[in-house]
Amino acid sequence: MTENYKAINWNAIDDQIDKATWEKLTEQFWLDTRIPLSNDLSDWRELDDDHKWVVAHVFGGLTLLDTLQSQEGMASLRHDVKTQHETAVLNNIQFMESVHAKSYSSIFSTLNTPDEIEEVFNWTDTEEFLQNKAIKIESIYSDPLMDPLKKKIASVFLETFLFYSGFYTPLYYLGHNKLANVAEIIKLILRDESVHGTYIGYKFQVSFNQLDDSKKQELKDWMYDFLYQLYSNEENYTHMLYDQTGWTEDVLTFIRYNANKALMNLGQDPLFPDTAENVNPVVMNGISTTTANHDFFSQVGNGYLLGNVEAMNDSDYDI
Ligand SMILES: [Fe+2]
Ligand SMILES: [Fe+2]
């Protein structure tokens, strides 16, 4: 006999974190089309070719990672949910990953020529160190026999660690009062990723805490080893992107700091000695600054009632 099909009941919540996360994510809903990116054109025209190259290619890299999250990541995690509300939250996350992936194309179409856009996508689809990280994560998502906890680790590492070599650039410019609307998009993405990483990290911890000590240790060993593999690839990726600007060491500090945050989301101890104090203050300022464009919804008329977007602050980043 087949089991009955069960309707989702939001009046009987198994895990309050599902409901709280749904509410937070729907409250902070946004679309790329609402941000007046063309206001950044005068800043963009002042950049030299090396810096323009870095901006366009970090966004190429970020497009690839958000594509992976929207196409494979959430679909893979959805196989292992414990509650029906968790499925609903993952559905929301999956859609927003598509918004993130699309928003870089809005940036490209504003700042770059069609030939430049084509070059960025050719690069993204072939660049060795970028492809390495996407394929390492994808192979975990796509293995039907993979431990569900390892899939959650891969997702948190992607979102709370691997994005940050790319996020560095727009945050750096924001800290210098440049490309404010581009940075606005990145901050909206970062705010989403911070909720995603916290939520998936929480779901990881619930199952992890039920394991016996030897299973826990085994998984920890795998996790730190995997993080180290990703970091070593990320070092190469960062050199390749940033050596021409002289920012490489600063970016590496920033990504080690975020690697520790990914471990924290998973309830684990930090791997690297880097803390917020070691990160370039201009970039930390970019993260925590009140948005320069906080009234941007008023620029698109007053009919925009979908969500209440607040300025991001330190506590959003730290949740
Ligand atoms: Fe994303
Ligand atoms: Fe995400």
Side-chain angles (χ1 to χ4, degrees):
M1 200 178 99
T2 51
E3 258 181 67
N4 289 343
Y5 201 78
K6 194 169 163 26
I8 185 167
N9 181 358
W10 283 91
N11 294 306
I13 303 287
D14 312 288
D15 184 344
Q16 287 301 327
I17 301 288
D18 293 335
K19 183 168 182 282
T21 306
W22 174 272
E23 283 164 1
K24 175 127 183 96
L25 288 174
T26 50
E27 190 178 293
Q28 67 186 40
F29 176 76
W30 61 280
L31 287 172
D32 53 304
T33 44
R34 304 287 168 166
I35 312 240
L37 284 165
S38 57
N39 290 353
D40 286 355
L41 276 168
S42 57
D43 287 345
W44 172 251
R45 290 185 187 120
E46 281 170 22
L47 300 186
D48 65 27
D49 285 350
D50 280 351
H51 290 83
K52 281 182 179 163
W53 187 93
V54 171
V55 172
H57 290 76
V58 299
F59 291 146
L62 292 169
T63 304
L64 189 74
L65 299 184
D66 270 315
T67 307
L68 173 59
Q69 280 303 79
S70 67
Q71 292 184 171
E72 325 308 324
M74 295 309 108
S76 169
L77 298 192
R78 225 163 27 211
H79 291 300
D80 315 306
V81 295
K82 293 278 194 291
T83 69
Q84 290 178 287
H85 310 95
E86 186 177 352
T87 305
V89 172
L90 295 179
N91 288 343
N92 173 299
I93 294 178
Q94 177 168 285
F95 175 72
M96 287 315 291
E97 301 302 358
S98 292
V99 173
H100 299 172
K102 177 177 177 293
S103 66
Y104 307 113
S105 286
S106 298
I107 296 173
F108 292 140
S109 63
T110 308
L111 303 182
N112 299 100
T113 65
D115 284 350
E116 285 167 353
I117 296 172
E118 197 188 329
E119 187 278 328
V120 168
F121 277 88
N122 287 337
W123 178 91
T124 299
D125 295 346
T126 53
E127 201 294 315
E128 178 188 355
F129 302 119
L130 177 58
Q131 286 291 320
N132 275 349
K133 59 175 160 176
I135 289 167
K136 271 178 197 292
I137 301 286
E138 195 273 336
S139 64
I140 291 170
Y141 286 156
S142 65
D143 179 350
L145 301 174
M146 184 56 66
D147 178 348
L149 288 179
K150 291 183 180 170
K151 293 200 245 170
K152 291 186 177 68
I153 293 169
S155 182
V156 171
F157 283 174
L158 178 76
E159 300 199 328
T160 314
F161 168 44
L162 295 178
F163 272 117
Y164 283 83
S165 50
F167 287 158
Y168 182 92
T169 295
L171 293 172
Y172 173 93
Y173 282 116
L174 181 63
H176 287 96
N177 282 319
K178 297 247 186 271
L179 301 177
N181 295 286
V182 167
E184 194 64 52
I185 289 211
I186 299 311
K187 289 179 66 164
L188 290 165
I189 293 176
L190 215 146
R191 189 179 63 173
D192 289 347
E193 298 308 355
S194 125
V195 178
H196 301 171
T198 310
Y199 177 71
I200 293 164
Y202 159 79
K203 290 289 178 180
F204 168 87
Q205 291 185 53
V206 169
S207 300
F208 180 79
N209 291 337
Q210 291 164 358
L211 299 176
D212 65 35
D213 285 350
S214 78
K215 276 266 161 12
K216 275 185 185 159
Q217 192 54 50
E218 207 178 289
L219 204 55
K220 269 190 188 180
D221 291 345
W222 183 90
M223 179 183 335
Y224 282 89
D225 180 63
F226 187 47
L227 183 63
Y228 203 79
Q229 280 179 40
L230 292 170
Y231 177 72
S232 130
N233 182 70
E234 208 61 13
E235 276 187 314
N236 293 327
Y237 183 64
T238 301
H239 277 287
M240 181 269 302
L241 273 175
Y242 287 104
D243 278 357
Q244 60 186 315
T245 61
W247 300 349
T248 305
E249 288 313 314
D250 263 11
V251 179
L252 289 173
T253 304
F254 188 52
I255 67 177
R256 288 192 298 267
Y257 164 69
N258 284 291
N260 287 342
K261 287 201 161 233
L263 288 166
M264 197 179 78
N265 280 343
L266 295 163
Q268 310 299 318
D269 297 327
L271 174 63
F272 298 108
D274 309 80
T275 65
E277 270 96 76
N278 303 110
V279 175
N280 182 342
V282 171
V283 170
M284 284 314 265
N285 196 30
I287 287 179
S288 60
T289 185
T290 304
T291 159
N293 199 21
H294 60 275
D295 61 344
F296 61 92
F297 286 130
S298 65
Q299 302 184 26
V300 294
N302 52 15
Y304 193 74
L305 297 170
L306 283 167
N308 219 346
V309 175
E310 320 127 32
M312 201 168 118
N313 54 42
D314 280 325
S315 61
D316 284 326
Y317 186 58
D318 284 338
I319 61 154

